[in-house]
Amino acid sequence: MKTSRKSEADLISNLPSSIIENILGCLPLRDAVRTSILSREWRYKWVTCPYLVFDFWFDQMFLGNHKLETLVYTILKFHQGPLLKFALQAPDFQSSPDIDRWIDLLPNDNIQDFTLHISRGDNHRLPSQLFAFHQLRNLKLYKCAFDPPSTFRGFNKLVNLDLQDVVFAPETFGNFVSCCTSLERLRLMECSSLDCIEIDAPKLKFFEFHGVFRSISFKHSPLLAEVLISFSSMDFVREDRFSFDLIKSLSCLPALEDLHLQAYVLEGLAEYGAPKKLPVTLKTLKTLHLSDMYFEKIDEISCALCLIRSSPSLQKLEITAFTFDVVEAVAEFLRSQKSSDCSLTHLKTVNMQLFSGAESEMEFVKYLLASATALEEMAISPHAGNVSDGGESILNKLKQFPRASPRAEIVNSEKK
């Protein structure tokens, strides 16, 4: 009877080793290591865990009076079998010669996911050993210096590349991306060494950028469908042709469907046809997000209308308002825009966020309601700091505006 109960209680131990490794791989590293106290048989099962993630939870559980350097080295020395994921993202982690020694201990024939997150101090210069991980599918680097050796021919299986505050020679970046022929997702955040970005990635589907560049071109990205671009400085806006060249580059993407931009990026379009249509169009664009839209500036509103009118397939529009003062000239400009100038025949959904009910904002919504013949929903999210009644009075005014679409509903998205 006792033997039967013991057998039932230890069913997990009798599972095939591959299943046990998968179970351990689903646990945080701290919990995987803690299984060593279950029994003598479980003492070393954790050493085959395919995922080693040294993060906040590992830091809280194990460090105490222990040094991270000692623990990481010991765990890597004990580890056996395939290692698919390795991540160093403990709090307050700094560049150290130990990092190169740890990377040298990793098996370069099966690592698929590598993360190195330097939290403070100097950027860490990556060792050449990293570029031997030819099975990599996910690479995330934070606060590193990136300099592939001349013999490097790319990560052929890399799908996801996430770089934040990474320094590399500008000419190196374009070559690196073009060598990663399977790349589908690319994030570049605060990589200050970039100036003129050139992207040649035939399988790229998602691109996100935050920082500053002077120009960007997509040489061969036929599958790129979602683009998010935001800037940490407004200096670039003063560059001649910047706004138009940016939109022109985006118009060359045959699969682009979802675009996120800061509204002030568009101001330079005033010289290229705003508020009417541009010489180029975003033919495939279905969703447009414009953030930080100043409803106090005619140029910004005019250029936003210009981009909307130059997106003939647009179905969804999201705008985050940024309004402090009432400027009568902006409202007057919007009243002068006629819906007959451009009928938005595919626009179905509009979402106005941080809406304060300023006259210029109201006139903008009025124009969209009068122009969007297929509109189904106009959702308003009131600015809590500027609206006292939850937006009910604003909503009641908006409902009095004429609508080109008989199906259009005006709703408060906060109460939806």
Side-chain angles (χ1 to χ4, degrees):
M1 190 71 161
K2 288 182 179 179
T3 303
S4 175
R5 287 177 180 172
K6 182 179 179 181
S7 177
E8 291 175 3
D10 204 22
L11 284 174
I12 295 180
S13 297
N14 295 325
L15 290 171
S17 59
S18 60
I19 296 179
I20 292 177
E21 288 171 8
N22 285 336
I23 293 173
L24 291 173
C26 293
L27 299 174
L29 182 55
R30 62 168 188 164
D31 294 331
V33 176
R34 288 171 71 185
T35 61
S36 61
I37 66 173
L38 294 177
S39 68
R40 185 180 295 120
E41 187 177 352
W42 275 82
R43 186 174 182 183
Y44 293 111
K45 284 190 181 293
W46 67 270
V47 301
T48 62
C49 180
Y51 308 115
L52 297 182
V53 178
F54 301 92
D55 58 4
F56 171 82
W57 299 111
F58 180 87
D59 176 84
Q60 295 296 304
M61 182 67 191
F62 285 110
L63 291 189
N65 296 324
H66 301 287
K67 287 188 175 182
L68 177 68
E69 292 80 359
T70 304
L71 286 174
V72 174
Y73 182 79
T74 303
I75 289 173
L76 285 174
K77 289 292 285 185
F78 269 98
H79 190 273
Q80 299 174 12
L83 181 57
L84 304 180
K85 179 177 182 177
F86 181 77
L88 277 169
Q89 49 196 52
D92 296 323
F93 189 52
Q94 299 185 69
S95 175
S96 163
D98 292 300
I99 296 173
D100 295 355
R101 288 193 282 271
W102 300 334
I103 292 176
D104 200 34
L105 290 172
L106 300 178
N108 58 25
D109 58 342
N110 50 44
I111 286 282
Q112 297 180 9
D113 193 322
F114 181 89
T115 298
L116 176 57
H117 192 148
I118 305 298
S119 304
R120 59 190 179 94
D122 297 332
N123 289 45
H124 182 80
R125 182 163 294 280
L126 296 167
S128 59
Q129 298 97 303
L130 176 70
F131 300 97
F133 296 161
H134 298 300
Q135 301 299 317
L136 270 182
R137 292 179 56 81
N138 297 287
L139 178 59
K140 299 179 182 180
L141 301 174
Y142 302 78
K143 210 169 177 57
C144 295
F146 192 81
D147 188 17
S150 57
T151 56
F152 180 68
R153 293 294 177 265
F155 295 120
N156 292 331
K157 297 184 179 181
L158 190 67
V159 174
N160 179 35
L161 177 61
D162 189 337
L163 304 178
Q164 182 169 320
D165 192 11
V166 172
V167 178
F168 41 77
E171 65 275 8
T172 300
F173 174 75
N175 292 333
F176 173 77
V177 170
S178 63
C179 288
C180 299
T181 54
S182 298
L183 193 64
E184 295 181 6
R185 295 180 61 86
L186 174 60
R187 293 182 76 242
L188 302 173
M189 314 298 283
E190 297 289 1
C191 297
S192 57
S193 55
L194 289 173
D195 190 26
C196 300
I197 303 175
E198 187 176 280
I199 296 175
D200 181 359
K203 294 187 179 180
L204 192 66
K205 298 177 182 177
F206 173 91
F207 174 69
E208 181 177 5
F209 177 91
H210 178 73
V212 175
F213 61 69
R214 294 192 180 280
S215 68
I216 187 169
S217 63
F218 302 92
K219 286 185 66 176
H220 182 52
S221 302
L223 303 180
L224 185 52
E226 186 173 1
V227 175
L228 294 80
I229 297 177
S230 59
F231 295 89
S232 54
S233 168
M234 293 181 64
D235 292 340
F236 65 90
V237 175
R238 301 185 182 94
E239 298 278 338
D240 291 339
R241 293 182 55 90
F242 179 88
S243 300
F244 180 71
D245 286 345
L246 173 60
I247 300 302
K248 187 176 179 180
S249 292
L250 294 169
S251 71
C252 295
L253 297 172
L256 182 63
E257 293 188 353
D258 197 330
L259 177 62
H260 299 238
L261 288 175
Q262 289 160 306
Y264 63 76
V265 174
L266 305 174
E267 286 189 29
L269 297 178
E271 300 177 18
Y272 296 92
K276 297 182 179 180
K277 294 181 180 180
L278 291 169
V280 296
T281 59
L282 300 177
K283 296 178 182 179
T284 59
L285 190 67
K286 293 181 180 178
T287 302
L288 175 62
H289 309 250
L290 294 176
S291 62
D292 303 331
M293 188 155 156
Y294 285 79
F295 278 89
E296 305 155 17
K297 300 177 72 173
I298 289 181
D299 280 352
E300 197 159 306
I301 302 303
S302 172
C303 293
L305 283 177
C306 180
L307 184 60
I308 293 169
R309 289 167 170 171
S310 302
S311 306
S313 301
L314 193 66
Q315 296 179 12
K316 183 176 182 180
L317 176 65
E318 292 191 358
I319 290 180
T320 304
F322 202 74
T323 308
F324 291 107
D325 299 318
V326 176
V327 179
E328 175 58 30
V330 177
E332 195 61 43
F333 164 77
L334 285 166
R335 280 192 285 270
S336 71
Q337 301 302 305
K338 295 180 171 56
S339 58
S340 57
D341 291 345
C342 179
S343 180
L344 305 175
T345 56
H346 295 282
L347 187 62
K348 294 181 179 180
T349 306
V350 177
N351 188 358
M352 301 290 295
Q353 299 174 352
L354 298 183
F355 197 83
S356 61
E359 189 176 7
S360 54
E361 295 176 350
M362 299 290 280
E363 290 295 333
F364 184 80
V365 170
K366 186 176 184 179
Y367 169 79
L368 292 178
L369 288 171
S371 305
T373 57
L375 190 67
E376 296 176 359
E377 182 177 272
M378 171 72 70
I380 305 296
S381 177
H383 191 308
N386 296 344
V387 179
S388 58
D389 63 350
E392 288 303 313
S393 58
I394 292 175
L395 217 64
N396 290 333
K397 289 180 182 178
L398 292 176
K399 288 179 179 178
Q400 306 305 311
F401 292 162
R403 310 171 202 182
S405 170
R407 293 173 294 175
E409 291 186 64
I410 302 174
V411 299
N412 186 331
S413 59
E414 299 297 316
K415 298 180 179 181
K416 189 176 175 181

